[in-house]
Amino acid sequence: MAYSHTVGGERYSFPSLARLMAKATPARSGDELAGVAAKSARERIAAQMALADLPLKQFLNEAVVAYESDEVTRLIVDSHDAAAFTAIAHLTIGEVRDFLLSHEATGEVIASLKWAFTPEMAAAVSKIMRVQDLIAVARKICVVTRFRTTVGLPGRLSTRLQPNHPTDDPRGIAASMIDGLMLGSGDAVIGINPVSDSPKSVKELLDLIDRARVRYAIPTQACVLAHVTTQMEAMREGAPLDLLFQSVGGTESTNTSFGISLALLEEAHQQARALKRGGIGEETGGENVFYFETGQGSALSSDAHIGIDGLGVDQQTIEARAYAVARHFDPMLVNTVVGFIGPEYLYDGKQILRAGLEDHFCGKLLGLPMGCDICYTNHAEADQDDMDALLTLLGAAGVNFIMGVPGADDIMLNYQSTSFHDALYLRSVMGLKCSPEFEAWIESGSLQGLTVQRLLEA
């Protein structure tokens, strides 16, 4: 089906939903690289106006990636809640935006519609929203998950303590862990990016975190961000795995490039849940055991962004589709690593800021416990001032968690993120606290006397 709109006396036509979505996307370098971006601001406005007039029902009639050849599309279509959709089926995309911003659309009302929205619908709405719209709607939505801590409650901001080390040295990791714990970080997860993707390394790192957790009664979760198959093997060897990690994408071919499928993720999910390691809800051992990371541009970087018409799908729409994969597994944590891939996909601070807020909005609208790795690579046209701006805006938007990296400089992954002090800043200016279990632990004084040697001897 073709779409069109006239702006300034000139008529612009868009031959498919995928082309319309791509042309309506706010400017970003990845879409320009893929050759799908609007060629002018006027064309972008025409596409946005045509998109705003598009009936929501059209998204159920026209796919951007073929159902027959893509298991993510099949998951999206087959899990759509037709009964819940009746409440919004009469709306256009523009009317959905107005509804979400209205007083009638409370957080509870929006949450009840999470299976009525497809990722493409969420992406489409975000494309016609201002930054303040993205913040205002996302702030209404609370998505709460639990393992040993409760993440996502109103008035709370959690952090992932990220004690990476370029050689996986236990002393270096322990020092970063203590630094983070002393500054109130780690209530979402203590998550290490390992240098070695081997079951032995994963087990050793999980053992290190778990011994300290048990010895000092730290209410947190452990995660080592190796490939899911490596973590599965580590579990078979007795590793004390709490959260199961994997990067996911919005097309089947993207996930194939990651070495995963929906069936593999389901197998890993059942294996992790069988360990019953969660501390909240002992009868099940914790329902939320997955930790997913995503990021705009991952499909394009693996040449896995081709849509139903043989052309590229814009990177933000594919990112929203990745959230369909994530929500299928009811995860504990999800975050976009917004500026990590590089300026080829998000060129500067403005593009990174916009993308981070879009991702957070779309994830929350689809019912996900969204966090954000507020970050940039050293060759991007961005700096820490840009990250401070995005950090503050995400705090206003009610982000569930952010990263806590020593000095905001990840010496293993070589990128700039947010520090333990950044979380303290945001909690201070926004009047936020860490998770209730973690807050009680800090106030108990259990941190007193904790040293690197004692942690390693735990």
Side-chain angles (χ1 to χ4, degrees):
M1 180 175 177
Y3 308 89
S4 62
H5 205 282
T6 300
V7 173
E10 185 173 357
R11 192 161 188 82
Y12 294 87
S13 296
F14 312 98
S16 67
L17 180 59
R19 294 308 100 230
L20 177 64
M21 295 273 279
K23 299 293 186 179
T25 306
R28 61 208 53 192
S29 53
D31 291 338
E32 293 172 6
L33 179 66
V36 301
K39 292 182 171 57
S40 67
R42 182 173 289 185
E43 184 182 25
R44 181 174 297 109
I45 290 169
Q48 289 173 338
M49 294 177 74
L51 188 60
D53 291 339
L54 190 66
L56 207 56
K57 289 181 179 178
Q58 183 59 25
F59 289 82
L60 303 180
N61 299 325
E62 185 176 355
V64 298
V65 182
Y67 181 95
E68 296 76 15
S69 60
D70 189 275
E71 67 174 4
V72 177
T73 300
R74 293 194 291 275
L75 176 66
I76 292 167
V77 173
D78 296 347
S79 63
H80 182 250
D81 188 337
F85 184 67
T86 59
I88 55 174
H90 61 288
L91 299 176
T92 64
I93 288 297
E95 289 168 342
V96 170
R97 171 193 173 273
D98 294 343
F99 163 70
L100 292 173
L101 289 165
S102 71
H103 294 299
E104 290 74 22
T106 63
E108 292 75 16
V109 168
I110 297 173
S112 72
L113 296 169
K114 67 180 182 181
W115 291 102
F117 287 110
T118 67
E120 290 86 352
M121 294 174 190
V125 175
S126 75
K127 293 177 192 299
I128 64 167
M129 297 178 94
R130 297 171 58 183
V131 162
Q132 64 178 248
D133 298 340
L134 298 170
I135 293 170
V137 175
R139 184 175 179 83
K140 298 181 185 183
I141 308 167
C142 288
V143 182
V144 179
T145 54
R146 296 176 174 87
F147 199 82
R148 294 191 189 94
T149 57
T150 305
V151 175
L153 291 168
R156 305 279 176 170
L157 172 71
S158 295
T159 58
R160 168 188 161 192
L161 201 173
Q162 188 170 313
N164 294 346
H165 191 276
T167 63
D168 286 345
D169 179 67
R171 292 188 63 83
I173 291 170
S176 293
M177 283 175 57
I178 292 173
D179 190 16
L181 292 169
M182 292 280 189
L183 291 168
S185 280
D187 56 327
V189 64
I190 299 177
I192 302 172
N193 296 90
V195 175
S196 172
D197 193 87
S198 70
K200 179 176 181 292
S201 177
V202 168
K203 185 176 185 304
E204 288 174 350
L205 293 173
L206 286 171
D207 282 337
L208 170 63
I209 301 172
D210 199 57
R211 286 195 304 269
R213 180 190 67 80
V214 173
R215 169 73 180 274
Y216 294 97
I218 308 169
T220 190
Q221 297 70 241
C223 182
V224 174
L225 285 69
H227 192 269
V228 66
T229 54
T230 308
Q231 295 168 82
M232 292 168 74
E233 184 58 36
M235 281 190 279
R236 296 185 192 103
E237 295 177 7
L241 183 143
D242 292 333
L243 300 188
L244 185 67
F245 170 81
Q246 183 55 47
S247 295
V248 293
T251 66
E252 180 177 341
S253 51
T254 306
N255 289 325
T256 298
S257 75
F258 290 158
I260 60 170
S261 65
L262 295 179
L264 176 63
L265 292 177
E266 181 58 39
E267 180 184 353
H269 189 216
Q270 295 305 320
Q271 185 180 352
R273 288 191 62 190
L275 297 181
K276 296 185 180 294
R277 289 182 54 82
I280 298 176
E282 292 293 349
E283 70 281 359
T284 62
E287 292 294 322
N288 310 120
V289 299
F290 249 124
Y291 173 18
F292 291 115
E293 283 191 337
T294 66
Q296 290 191 28
S298 60
L300 176 58
S301 69
S302 57
D303 198 27
H305 62 299
I306 304 303
I308 198 168
D309 58 2
L311 302 174
V313 178
D314 71 272
Q315 64 186 38
Q316 192 250 333
T317 297
I318 290 182
E319 169 72 4
R321 285 168 52 91
Y323 302 152
V325 176
R327 72 173 176 176
H328 179 68
F329 295 99
D330 196 16
M332 175 71 182
L333 306 169
V334 180
N335 70 259
T336 169
V337 191
V338 66
F340 181 73
I341 303 181
E344 300 84 358
Y345 308 96
L346 295 169
Y347 179 72
D348 57 16
K350 182 175 182 178
Q351 291 189 9
I352 291 170
L353 183 147
R354 170 84 196 189
L357 293 170
E358 288 171 348
D359 295 350
H360 180 253
F361 163 83
C362 289
K364 283 285 188 71
L365 188 62
L366 296 170
L368 286 175
M370 287 300 295
C372 185
D373 190 345
I374 303 160
C375 61
Y376 64 101
T377 57
N378 289 314
H379 62 310
E381 290 296 318
D383 58 28
Q384 209 63 43
D385 284 346
D386 296 310
M387 300 306 103
D388 283 352
L390 178 54
L391 171 68
T392 305
L393 293 176
L394 282 168
V399 70
N400 279 28
F401 69 102
I402 62 171
M403 305 299 118
V405 178
D409 183 6
D410 193 306
I411 59 173
M412 195 278 277
L413 293 174
N414 279 326
Y415 78 116
Q416 308 301 310
S417 185
T418 46
S419 70
F420 309 135
H421 295 85
D422 291 331
L424 292 179
Y425 147 76
L426 197 58
R427 286 172 179 162
S428 175
V429 299
M430 297 285 183
L432 304 171
K433 297 181 179 180
C434 56
S435 69
E437 300 86 0
F438 203 75
E439 181 185 17
W441 176 74
I442 291 173
E443 291 176 350
S444 73
S446 299
L447 274 168
Q448 297 300 319
L450 183 58
T451 65
V452 170
Q453 192 60 37
R454 288 181 179 178
L455 191 150
L456 291 174
E457 292 173 349

